[in-house]
């Protein structure tokens, strides 16, 4: 029997890795508290709680974080037009600092000396979890089994984990026939690892078939807490259905856009640790909101401010992807981006059809669009002759 080593709060999902890690941590002499964060994943949390207790967890916390996740993390990414490497809407990267905040909160309440996670030693999530934990609770000690030789030498792959699960009576849903890793939250679903590590493989078992079209209405308005403008209402132009609260709005857009195959990408990206990885992502509501926000921002924001803000968005996306949400520089950027959104208010009309989002029109009380000035039929407050000098000056070089 191993010597007692204190209490550890484990970021627990109920899947293969964290279920095996829970039992393994007990073997090492730790008292384990399991922590499950509900950020919108389709999961039977009561079943996961019972499973953790059956596996030997001393206590289980199931925390509802869906509304916080949308209002404090997703909305910030929408305001920023955050896009990592011009394609990835950061669904997992946004979730990790939210989960880590809850994890260390439980560790502080329980007086635990350690927290643990099931992130691999090759991925981004280990960095995201641990940077957040250390930023929020510097005294904490993190146990990362996949970086400990005594763990990864015993379990060099998922096959060995499945054998361990069988030996210890750990029920798991992963089988050799479905050997990929799936991560789900309100923002997205990701599929990685296993057969998907071959970038040539096309595996449609992960993906539901697309359906056809619908027209929607999106309104952006003032958010609370001085953090700039956020989505406040979505209306289905077909049946008049309206959703107004942040969580309700986001869930509804996920439902509509998901049916239409919106927001699916299959990409190879650069991990922070230095390697390339292949991921399949589905981000339905996030894709609609990204496109709608881009449109209303272009309509209402000064050109030069927008150019600076675009540069900030690139830096913000990199910081979030790399795990620096709780860093001073990322907090500074969130304030800057929030300030830039003061005039970004209005309505965007759009449709979704066969996986695409189509912007149909927009209006705003803060619009910088001057119909008379831009018209080909009305001269307006503009002297065409002035353009001659403008062109001459720009042609000098």
């Amino acid at each position: 029997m191993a010597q007692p080593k204190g209490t550890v709060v484990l970021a627990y999902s109920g899947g293969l890795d964290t279920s095996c890690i829970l039992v393994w941590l007990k073997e090492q002499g730790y008292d384990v508290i399991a922590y499950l964060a509900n950020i919108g994943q389709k999961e039977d949390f009561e079943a996961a709680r019972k499973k953790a207790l059956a596996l030997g967890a001393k206590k289980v916390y199931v925390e509802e974080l869906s509304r916080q996740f949308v209002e404090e993390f997703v909305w910030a990414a929408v305001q920023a037009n955050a896009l990592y490497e011009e394609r990835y809407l950061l669904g997992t990267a946004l979730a990790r600092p939210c989960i880590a905040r809850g994890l260390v909160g439980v560790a502080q309440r329980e007086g635990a000396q350690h927290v643990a996670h099931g992130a691999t030693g090759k991925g981004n999530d280990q960095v995201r979890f641990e940077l957040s934990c250390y930023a929020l609770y510097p005294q904490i000690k993190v146990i990362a089994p996949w970086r400990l030789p005594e763990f990864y030498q015993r379990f060099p792959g998922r096959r060995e984990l499945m054998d361990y699960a069988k030996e210890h009576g750990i029920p798991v849903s992963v089988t050799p026939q479905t050997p990929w890793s799936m991560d789900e939250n309100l923002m997205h679903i990701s599929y990685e690892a296993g057969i998907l590590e071959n970038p040539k493989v096309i595996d449609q078992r992960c993906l539901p078939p697309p359906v056809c079209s619908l027209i929607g209405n999106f309104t952006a308005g003032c958010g609370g807490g001085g953090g700039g403008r956020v989505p406040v209402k979505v209306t289905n132009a077909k049946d008049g259905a309206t959703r107004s609260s942040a969580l309700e709005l986001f869930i509804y857009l996920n439902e509509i856009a998901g049916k239409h195959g919106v927001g699916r990408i299959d990409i190879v990206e650069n991990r922070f640790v230095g390697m390339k990885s292949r991921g399949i992502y589905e981000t339905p509501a996030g894709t609609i909101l990204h496109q709608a926000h881009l449109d209303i921002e272009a309509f209402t924001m000064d050109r030069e401010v927008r150019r600076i803000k675009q540069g900030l968005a690139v830096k913000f996306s990199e910081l979030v992807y790399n795990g620096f949400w709780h860093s001073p520089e990322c907090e500074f950027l969130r304030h800057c981006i929030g300030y830039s959104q003061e005039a970004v208010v209005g309505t965007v009309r759009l449709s979704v059809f066969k996986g695409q989002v189509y912007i149909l029109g927009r209006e705003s009380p803060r619009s910088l669009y001057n119909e008379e000035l831009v018209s080909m039929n009305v001269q307006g407050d503009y002297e065409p002759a002035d353009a001659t000098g403008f062109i001459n000056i720009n042609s000098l070089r």
Side-chain angles (χ1 to χ4, degrees):
M1 188 75 177
Q3 291 294 316
K5 294 181 180 177
T7 301
V8 56
V9 182
L10 170 65
Y12 179 74
S13 69
L16 173 65
D17 291 37
T18 55
S19 294
C20 291
I21 286 171
L22 193 162
V23 175
W24 182 84
L25 286 169
K26 284 185 58 63
E27 284 182 351
Q28 309 310 303
Y30 293 99
D31 287 328
V32 182
I33 295 172
Y35 175 76
L36 290 92
N38 180 358
I39 48 174
Q41 65 272 40
K42 295 178 179 65
E43 186 172 327
D44 187 337
F45 291 98
E46 179 58 23
R49 186 188 70 81
K50 289 179 179 177
K51 179 179 177 181
L53 290 171
L55 295 178
K58 177 183 174 183
K59 191 182 290 188
V60 179
Y61 282 82
V62 179
E63 197 164 19
E64 169 56 66
L65 301 179
S66 297
R67 184 181 59 80
Q68 294 177 36
F69 178 49
V70 174
E71 293 182 350
E72 299 178 36
F73 295 86
V74 175
W75 277 179
V78 171
Q79 288 182 342
N81 303 323
L83 208 58
Y84 180 69
E85 294 187 337
E86 302 175 333
R87 299 177 74 187
Y88 172 41
L89 285 165
L90 299 167
T92 300
L94 290 166
R96 296 312 184 226
C98 180
I99 296 169
R101 187 173 67 181
L103 185 71
V104 298
V106 169
Q108 289 172 311
R109 264 177 276 164
E110 292 288 340
Q113 304 88 353
H114 308 86
V115 293
H117 60 76
T120 74
K122 292 183 177 181
N124 297 306
D125 281 344
Q126 58 179 338
V127 184
R128 295 164 180 161
F129 273 125
E130 294 180 39
L131 288 180
S132 291
C133 288
Y134 291 135
L136 296 169
Y137 191 15
Q139 298 83 7
I140 201 68
K141 296 176 181 176
V142 178
I143 301 171
W146 283 113
R147 296 205 307 270
L148 299 175
E150 60 268 33
F151 187 87
Y152 66 71
Q153 288 173 3
R154 183 176 177 183
F155 307 109
R158 295 176 76 77
R159 171 70 68 177
E160 288 76 15
L161 271 185
M162 286 187 270
D163 291 342
Y164 180 80
K166 187 176 181 180
E167 289 167 16
H168 290 80
I170 303 170
V172 292
S173 58
V174 174
T175 68
Q177 286 72 45
T178 57
W180 54 68
S181 174
M182 189 181 89
D183 180 71
E184 181 184 14
N185 59 52
L186 269 173
M187 183 67 164
H188 87 167
I189 301 175
S190 68
Y191 302 89
E192 292 183 314
I195 61 173
L196 299 177
E197 287 173 352
N198 181 344
K200 296 186 294 184
V201 166
I202 302 172
D203 196 284
Q204 295 300 323
R205 287 174 295 176
C206 311
L207 306 173
V211 294
C212 66
S213 67
L214 177 116
I215 295 177
N217 178 280
F218 174 88
T219 304
C222 186
R229 308 288 182 162
V230 298
V232 295
K233 184 171 71 172
V234 62
T235 302
N236 186 322
K238 188 175 182 180
D239 60 15
T242 297
R243 305 290 189 275
S244 298
S245 76
L247 185 56
E248 188 182 41
L249 179 159
F250 206 85
I251 291 171
Y252 182 68
L253 285 178
N254 264 337
E255 177 189 337
I256 296 298
K259 288 178 181 177
H260 294 267
V262 169
R264 295 187 200 160
I265 58 172
D266 185 330
I267 65 172
V268 174
E269 69 202 58
N270 289 296
R271 287 181 180 168
F272 188 31
V273 294
M275 65 188 75
K276 293 186 185 290
S277 67
R278 189 260 190 106
I280 297 172
Y281 302 109
E282 298 177 31
T283 317
T287 300
I288 284 184
L289 292 170
H290 179 75
Q291 295 295 333
H293 183 264
L294 274 173
D295 189 78
I296 202 69
E297 187 176 85
F299 195 48
T300 56
M301 186 178 285
D302 175 78
R303 181 185 72 179
E304 297 306 316
V305 172
R306 192 159 188 261
R307 283 180 177 173
I308 293 171
K309 194 253 181 179
Q310 285 173 311
L312 296 181
V314 172
K315 184 61 179 176
F316 173 82
S317 301
E318 290 175 352
L319 287 173
V320 173
Y321 184 87
N322 292 340
F324 289 91
W325 177 275
H326 291 291
S327 67
E329 63 270 33
C330 195
E331 183 178 354
F332 171 72
L333 278 182
R334 290 200 298 275
H335 280 291
C336 291
I337 290 166
Y339 182 76
S340 78
Q341 300 296 292
E342 192 272 333
V344 182
V345 57
T347 300
V348 179
R349 187 176 176 90
L350 54 84
S351 68
V352 292
F353 182 65
K354 291 187 176 180
Q356 299 298 314
V357 178
Y358 298 95
I359 303 297
L360 305 177
R362 77 288 297 156
E363 60 181 319
S364 170
R366 302 295 296 272
S367 167
L368 297 181
Y369 183 89
N370 185 320
E371 189 172 348
E372 184 178 271
L373 186 63
V374 79
S375 174
M376 296 292 186
N377 301 314
V378 182
Q379 183 169 315
D381 187 20
Y382 180 80
E383 289 293 334
D386 291 343
T388 302
F390 174 79
I391 294 167
N392 288 339
I393 290 294
N394 276 280
S395 70
L396 283 176
R397 61 192 178 94

